Amino acid sequence: MVGLTSAAGVIALLDEHDDDLKVYALQKLNGIVDQFWAEISDAVSKIEIMYEDTEFKDRALAALVASKVYYHLGEFDDSLNFALGAGNLFDLSLKSEYVDTIVCTWIGHFIDYIAVRVQEQQDPQNAEPMDSRLKAVVEKMFDRCYQDSEYKQAVGIALEAHRLDVVEHSIKAGGPSVILPYVYDLTMTVVQDQAYRNTLLQLLVDQFRKLEEPDYVAINQCLVHLGHHQASAELLQKLVSSGAQADLLMAYQLAFDLENNATQKYLTKVSDALPADAADAPQPKFAKVKSILSGKETIKLQLEFLCRNNHTDMLILKDSKNVLDARLSVYHSAVTFANAFMNAGTTSDDFLRQNLEWLSRATNWSKFSATAALGVIHKGQLSRGLSLLAPYLPQDGVTASPYSEGGSLFALGLIHANHGDEVLDYLRGVLKDTQIEVLQHGACLGLGTAGMATDNDDIYEELKNVLFSDSAIGGEAAGLAMGMVMLGTASEKALDEMLQYAHETQHEKIIRGLAVGVSLVMYGKEDAADVLIERLSADKDPILRYGGMYTIAMAYAGTGSNKAIRRLLHVAVSDVNDDVRRAAVTALGFIMFRSHKQVPRIVQLLSESYNPHVRYGACLALGISCAGTGSLDAIELLEPMTKDNVDFVRQGAFIALAMVLMQQNEAQSPKSASVRKMYEEVIKKKNEDALAKFGAVLGQGIIDAGGRNVTISLQSRSGHSNMPAIVGVALFTQFWYWFPASHFLSLAFTPTAIIGVNADLNLPEIEFTSNARPSLFAYIPPTKPPAAVTVEKVATAVLSTTAKAQAKAKKAKSAESDAMDEDEKPEVKTEEAKEDEAKAAAKPKKEAQSEKLGNLARVVPAQLKYISFDKDARYVPVKKDVTGGIVVLLDNKPDEPENLIATTTSAVASTPPASGTDTKMDVEEEEALLPEPFTYPFGDE
């Protein structure tokens, strides 16, 4: 049978007067419209007239045909209107491109309607009613999802449409264990309105609590996002008081998670809301929870890990130091920073002890940086911070270098970063008693770092007094410190005072410190920061516009906000000031670190900009967002910029490559070895620019930071924004103006380990499996020293008579020995046997596909998916998902004695248990000796 070649005959029936013929024509056209839509489109006006004719008996069919014609013409809005008119003839259950497209258009209109109402701050449920037909179609769509068991699709539409009832129904119908984590993930990544996100989080808390086995970990995460410190305290109290060992261990795990995710202010409120232990309590359970919340337990365990697993390659530092001229402060500072980063948290000052003469060459601000480096190396030594720095801290009646004293105050803040209760009073006292600018500078930075996010008005007022003294050096640090202390508070008083003084002062350094400080005050405020962002972005002063870019970065950090990205991209190509453009591009890294795979595509064109400041910003954006990922796309963009014709662009590329390749060996990232080699070559190159060499040395320090045991992570293991890390990286980028700011990068260093603790918070001996080749995540092998060159000796001339005499004596001696040892003659191997042995030795052994790891083992983020605990083992985690970090372990054999790992940070009793006692401790190692006292060789000035 010949197929239909034209629709002209059927179209002609539309001109008939008989309605039955018209209906017949429409039925035929509905069947062939996908093939002959172009021909039918000429008669679409006739079909529209039929639909508009209220007396026509099959208007719905006319609407359906018109809808399909407009769909093929690409007029989706018109197609949508006629599809709504088709009523039940438009079958949502059909699987076709036409139906899917129209449904998507419907849903898009519905979501846009809701979004407009939300933007106008109206309740979508009580706003002006929308087209009832459109609403009915959306309801049908939800029903279709339910029928097909596509609950995740229903949740996606419901979240966009603000339909909490549908979200709740989908969670119940689709199974809470499957749908709840999906809803939580979408809430934190897709929903950008903060108020609506909080409403969803509260709904999730209620749903998690209704589970047969409540998901306390997820509840805890939601409460931190909501800022409900009282609810967090009640949850911990309930678990501790339940009497069950598993609940107590879960409380400890939640406390560790809280300490990892929440601010100092939040943790203090939770701790204060917890009751004290009863006087007759056999175990101080609440005291342990409070100790965990204070951060002391976490820091002690992380220090133990960093000290035990230190793989710093001293030869790299030594080679760089020997090549660079220490008389130039830029080179001296670079090696100082590299040493600090490489040994961050390890307490190892071997490099300094071995190079006292080099260290003594530091002058002025190099001396400040060198002393502050002690704070990075000993970061976390909360109980010994003051004693470690005692030789350098200001002392009554002792005249010393103000630079080393100022650096020591900054170092004290770095040691107590984000845990400053023990030193805040001391630093405030020093700040009150001194009028020396350098000491003020160090004390302000120390106060800001130690008092981060405490919202302490007394500290703020003292910093403000330093600011109002109008000292350029002290005022800059005071501006930064005010922002750190009021971090994330959005305090109107602080913002007004800081901006007012920024407009009054003439010192650029003070204005810059205040501009960055203001951005910190608005940390995490998202839409609430928009008014301030508009104000700063429109300011005539480029330094305040620069602060506006960092305000966007801090307010929208990790949100991936399209609105913020659009604004930054606009400024990056339109502002007249290079610093502002550089800051705008850099800020992209902060906003998109959760979706780092998209960053290379976004900054690709910016990395090829004619403006070197924009190219530099692209480098940092890639480094910040892709840190520790080994992203090949990022490396591909950064490599050409290491050969850029502008020195500071090369510097930025070197630093960014180090961030991206942290903890990446050749098995994970083949570029790792070539980048390390490149650093070495750049540093040794005599005609290389100083700024590029500075970046290469800094890169060496960053890529091997923390003894190769830390990474830069702007989000915590549970997915929260890592506030100290974000702030630390933002302040690190200020090294463009002020080298000592480089030390702030240490705030972003996150140890990558699995540290298991028992109910007593001790370290038991455990074993778990990494189901990956050992070489895939192995440490990078240490650098080999150059082989010693041996000088070959020239052969000595021998007379023929001498040679004959020596040969005769040798022959007689061998004959004598053969006679004596004839019975003991060893078996001589044949040539074939020797060849077989050589082949066996040369044949490579097949590598194992897994390995066993113990407590305090390094486990990099990419390795976590390969980690598994044996369910039948003695110790198993109380938390289902292994996310690394500190893991509280449930002991399945509590009656058996435990083998504990002795820590180097605190003594452990090593006496054998007396008979009849119920002790579980069996210590195998002795406490390590403390390092010898060490003092910088700085003379008084």
Side-chain angles (χ1 to χ4, degrees):
M1 182 178 176
V2 180
L4 196 64
T5 58
S6 173
V10 181
I11 294 172
L13 294 175
L14 297 176
D15 296 326
E16 295 291 338
H17 295 291
D18 189 349
D19 282 355
D20 291 337
L21 288 174
K22 291 180 181 179
V23 171
Y24 174 78
L26 289 172
Q27 290 172 345
K28 290 294 182 182
L29 290 175
N30 187 42
I32 62 174
V33 66
D34 292 335
Q35 184 179 0
F36 297 106
W37 61 268
E39 199 173 348
I40 299 171
S41 64
D42 292 334
V44 72
S45 58
K46 298 176 184 178
I47 300 173
E48 288 184 43
I49 291 171
M50 293 180 194
Y51 167 67
E52 292 167 0
D53 184 359
T54 55
E55 296 181 359
F56 185 64
K57 62 180 181 180
D58 210 342
R59 295 177 61 214
L61 182 59
L64 182 63
V65 175
S67 174
K68 291 182 178 181
V69 172
Y70 278 115
Y71 159 73
H72 285 292
L73 289 171
E75 299 291 341
F76 297 137
D77 287 342
D78 290 334
S79 179
L80 169 63
N81 289 330
F82 283 109
L84 289 172
N88 292 330
L89 288 181
F90 182 82
D91 189 355
L92 286 171
S93 62
L94 290 177
K95 304 288 185 181
S96 70
E97 188 177 339
Y98 161 68
V99 172
D100 290 344
T101 304
I102 299 306
V103 167
C104 288
T105 308
W106 273 339
I107 294 171
H109 278 274
F110 185 77
I111 291 171
D112 290 343
Y113 165 83
I114 298 295
V116 169
R117 295 294 173 266
V118 170
Q119 195 170 3
E120 295 174 358
Q121 296 184 342
Q122 300 180 29
D123 182 356
Q125 305 298 332
N126 300 325
E128 180 184 345
M130 67 184 305
D131 191 329
S132 59
R133 297 175 302 171
L134 184 57
K135 196 170 182 179
V137 169
V138 174
E139 292 295 339
K140 287 180 181 178
M141 194 63 210
F142 286 134
D143 291 337
R144 175 180 165 183
C145 290
Y146 298 151
Q147 291 170 6
D148 298 343
S149 297
E150 296 288 352
Y151 297 105
K152 289 185 177 181
Q153 289 186 12
V155 165
I157 300 169
L159 286 178
E160 294 278 10
H162 288 232
R163 289 291 301 274
L164 299 184
D165 57 325
V166 176
V167 174
E168 197 166 350
H169 176 77
S170 299
I171 291 171
K172 293 176 182 176
S177 60
V178 177
I179 305 298
L180 272 174
Y182 179 72
V183 177
Y184 175 78
D185 184 53
L186 289 182
T187 301
M188 299 312 302
T189 56
V190 175
V191 178
Q192 296 188 357
D193 180 66
Q194 200 167 21
Y196 178 47
R197 188 190 309 138
N198 289 343
T199 304
L200 285 169
L201 288 171
Q202 189 58 58
L203 170 68
L204 287 170
V205 169
D206 297 337
Q207 293 297 321
F208 280 124
R209 281 178 170 154
K210 291 177 182 177
L211 297 175
E212 291 183 13
E213 293 183 9
D215 191 338
Y216 295 117
V217 174
I219 293 171
N220 195 41
Q221 292 177 10
C222 294
L223 293 176
V224 173
H225 281 297
L226 290 167
H228 291 176
H229 60 87
Q230 187 62 41
S232 291
E234 290 171 0
L235 178 62
L236 291 174
Q237 185 174 350
K238 173 187 172 185
L239 290 170
V240 173
S241 304
S242 73
Q245 181 72 359
D247 286 347
L248 176 63
L249 295 176
M250 179 57 74
Y252 291 161
Q253 184 66 68
L254 296 185
F256 278 118
D257 291 349
L258 275 175
E259 195 281 327
N260 189 37
N261 297 318
T263 64
Q264 280 194 74
K265 184 178 178 181
Y266 187 94
L267 293 170
T268 303
K269 288 183 176 179
V270 172
S271 184
D272 292 344
L274 291 173
D277 289 296
D280 57 347
Q283 287 185 327
K285 298 176 182 178
F286 284 108
K288 283 184 180 178
V289 172
K290 291 182 179 182
S291 177
I292 295 170
L293 292 174
S294 71
K296 293 178 181 178
E297 299 296 333
T298 299
I299 290 172
K300 181 177 73 174
L301 293 167
Q302 289 178 345
L303 273 175
E304 185 69 28
F305 162 70
L306 291 172
C307 293
R308 282 175 175 267
N309 297 279
N310 186 6
H311 281 69
T312 301
D313 195 338
M314 288 296 180
L315 192 58
I316 295 175
L317 278 173
K318 181 181 176 183
D319 290 345
S320 298
K321 176 194 72 72
N322 292 338
V323 170
L324 299 174
D325 186 355
R327 291 173 297 179
L328 294 177
S329 64
V330 64
Y331 292 150
H332 197 287
S333 295
V335 177
T336 297
F337 296 138
N339 173 55
F341 292 158
M342 282 188 180
N343 292 290
T346 66
T347 70
S348 171
D349 51 19
D350 292 346
F351 177 77
L352 302 176
R353 294 175 185 274
Q354 295 166 10
N355 297 279
L356 296 177
E357 189 273 332
W358 167 84
L359 194 58
S360 64
R361 297 183 188 177
T363 58
N364 299 334
W365 288 106
S366 293
K367 187 180 293 187
F368 180 94
S369 298
T371 315
L374 278 178
V376 179
I377 294 171
H378 294 284
K379 184 174 180 287
Q381 293 276 6
L382 303 186
S383 60
R384 299 176 54 219
L386 284 168
S387 60
L388 282 168
L389 296 172
Y392 321 103
L393 292 169
Q395 299 176 23
D396 293 335
V398 178
T399 304
S401 166
Y403 292 98
S404 61
E405 289 183 346
S408 67
L409 295 171
F410 184 20
L412 192 61
L414 291 169
I415 288 175
H416 293 261
N418 206 28
H419 297 90
D421 291 342
E422 298 176 10
V423 295
L424 288 177
D425 290 338
Y426 173 80
L427 288 168
R428 287 170 62 186
V430 174
L431 189 61
K432 281 182 182 178
D433 297 340
T434 185
Q435 297 299 319
I436 302 172
E437 284 186 328
V438 181
L439 287 183
Q440 288 180 335
H441 185 87
C444 287
L445 292 180
L447 268 174
T449 310
M452 192 185 300
T454 53
D455 191 15
N456 189 314
D457 284 329
D458 294 334
I459 296 176
Y460 172 81
E461 290 297 328
E462 287 166 17
L463 292 168
K464 188 171 71 174
N465 292 336
V466 175
L467 177 72
F468 287 170
S469 68
D470 209 39
S471 160
I473 294 173
E476 179 187 32
L480 291 171
M482 289 162 74
M484 284 191 275
V485 170
M486 307 302 286
L487 181 65
T489 61
S491 167
E492 291 186 10
K493 174 193 171 188
L495 291 171
D496 290 342
E497 290 176 346
M498 292 168 77
L499 288 174
Q500 182 180 353
Y501 195 76
H503 284 107
E504 292 174 0
T505 186
Q506 300 299 312
H507 294 293
E508 284 191 5
K509 289 174 74 66
I510 295 178
I511 299 173
R512 185 172 294 109
L514 288 168
V516 177
V518 163
S519 72
L520 299 178
V521 176
M522 297 307 292
Y523 171 82
K525 292 305 176 186
E526 299 183 27
D527 295 340
D530 284 349
V531 175
L532 178 64
I533 291 169
E534 289 283 354
R535 179 179 171 187
L536 291 173
S537 301
D539 202 286
K540 292 180 180 179
D541 190 337
I543 300 177
L544 289 178
R545 295 204 303 277
Y546 173 91
M549 298 306 102
Y550 272 93
T551 304
I552 297 174
M554 295 296 100
Y556 288 94
T559 63
S561 167
N562 292 327
K563 175 176 65 175
I565 293 169
R566 279 196 300 270
R567 182 188 289 273
L568 290 171
L569 290 174
H570 173 71
V571 173
V573 297
S574 63
D575 200 277
V576 296
N577 185 271
D578 286 336
D579 286 353
V580 179
R581 297 177 70 173
R582 185 181 69 250
V585 183
T586 302
L588 290 170
F590 290 98
I591 290 174
M592 301 191 66
F593 65 77
R594 291 186 198 278
S595 50
H596 65 269
K597 292 181 180 178
Q598 299 179 21
V599 178
R601 179 174 54 83
I602 288 178
V603 303
Q604 182 175 7
L605 291 177
L606 296 173
S607 69
E608 300 169 3
S609 170
Y610 73 92
N611 189 317
H613 291 264
V614 173
R615 299 200 298 273
Y616 178 92
C619 290
L620 288 191
L622 288 166
I624 292 165
S625 60
C626 302
T629 63
S631 168
L632 293 176
D633 292 334
I635 294 171
E636 190 177 337
L637 288 180
L638 290 168
E639 278 190 318
M641 286 191 275
T642 61
K643 300 178 178 65
D644 199 278
N645 59 354
V646 179
D647 54 359
F648 62 77
V649 177
R650 297 199 297 277
Q651 178 195 83
F654 294 147
I655 293 171
L657 275 172
M659 289 180 169
V660 173
L661 290 170
M662 290 181 79
Q663 295 190 320
Q664 300 284 320
N665 60 22
E666 284 191 77
Q668 290 175 272
S669 179
K671 293 287 185 182
S672 175
S674 60
V675 169
R676 292 169 183 275
K677 185 68 176 174
M678 177 181 62
Y679 290 150
E680 187 180 336
E681 291 172 354
V682 168
I683 293 167
K684 289 180 178 178
K685 196 183 295 183
K686 290 186 178 179
N687 59 347
E688 184 59 86
D689 293 299
L691 283 181
K693 286 188 177 184
F694 181 89
V697 178
L698 233 59
Q700 285 185 327
I702 293 169
I703 201 170
D704 288 337
R708 295 176 173 167
N709 290 306
V710 301
T711 188
I712 292 174
S713 179
L714 300 193
Q715 60 180 334
S716 67
R717 296 177 185 88
S718 54
H720 293 255
S721 294
N722 187 347
M723 183 195 69
I726 293 171
V727 173
V729 174
L731 294 174
F732 164 74
T733 60
Q734 306 309 309
F735 81 87
W736 176 278
Y737 306 101
W738 196 237
F739 281 166
S742 301
H743 286 309
F744 280 114
L745 188 63
S746 63
L747 301 183
F749 291 160
T750 304
T752 53
I754 286 184
I755 305 172
V757 296
N758 61 11
D760 298 322
L761 305 185
N762 291 323
L763 295 164
E765 290 185 357
I766 62 173
E767 190 175 74
F768 54 92
T769 306
S770 172
N771 298 295
R773 293 179 290 113
S775 63
L776 188 59
F777 301 108
Y779 282 102
I780 295 158
T783 308
K784 294 181 180 178
V789 180
T790 56
V791 180
E792 293 184 5
K793 293 183 178 180
V794 180
T796 308
V798 181
L799 296 175
S800 59
T801 54
T802 307
K804 288 178 182 178
Q806 289 176 346
K808 189 175 181 180
K810 187 175 180 182
K811 186 176 180 182
K813 189 175 181 181
S814 62
E816 184 181 344
S817 62
D818 288 345
M820 292 175 63
D821 302 332
E822 189 173 352
D823 297 333
E824 301 177 6
K825 190 173 182 180
E827 183 182 349
V828 179
K829 292 183 180 179
T830 63
E831 289 296 326
E832 292 181 1
K834 290 181 179 178
E835 287 181 9
D836 291 342
E837 285 185 8
K839 287 180 181 178
K843 187 177 180 181
K845 293 182 180 179
K846 188 176 180 181
E847 187 180 6
Q849 296 303 304
S850 64
E851 64 176 326
K852 295 291 185 181
L853 299 175
N855 210 345
L856 295 169
R858 185 185 84 151
V859 178
V860 299
Q863 191 177 0
L864 285 170
K865 60 186 177 184
Y866 299 103
I867 298 298
S868 63
F869 281 79
D870 185 358
K871 294 180 180 178
D872 298 326
R874 174 172 181 175
Y875 297 101
V876 292
V878 294
K879 191 162 64 170
K880 294 178 182 177
D881 298 325
V882 179
T883 56
I886 298 173
V887 180
V888 180
L889 302 168
L890 177 64
D891 187 355
N892 290 323
K893 300 176 182 178
D895 298 329
E896 297 183 9
E898 292 182 277
N899 292 330
L900 300 180
I901 300 172
T903 62
T904 57
T905 52
S906 62
V908 183
S910 57
T911 53
S915 58
T917 58
D918 190 25
T919 180
K920 301 178 181 179
M921 192 172 294
D922 183 13
V923 179
E924 296 185 351
E925 300 180 24
E926 295 182 1
E927 180 186 4
L929 296 175
L930 293 175
E932 297 176 3
F934 167 71
T935 306
Y936 272 137
F938 295 153
D940 297 344
E941 292 183 0

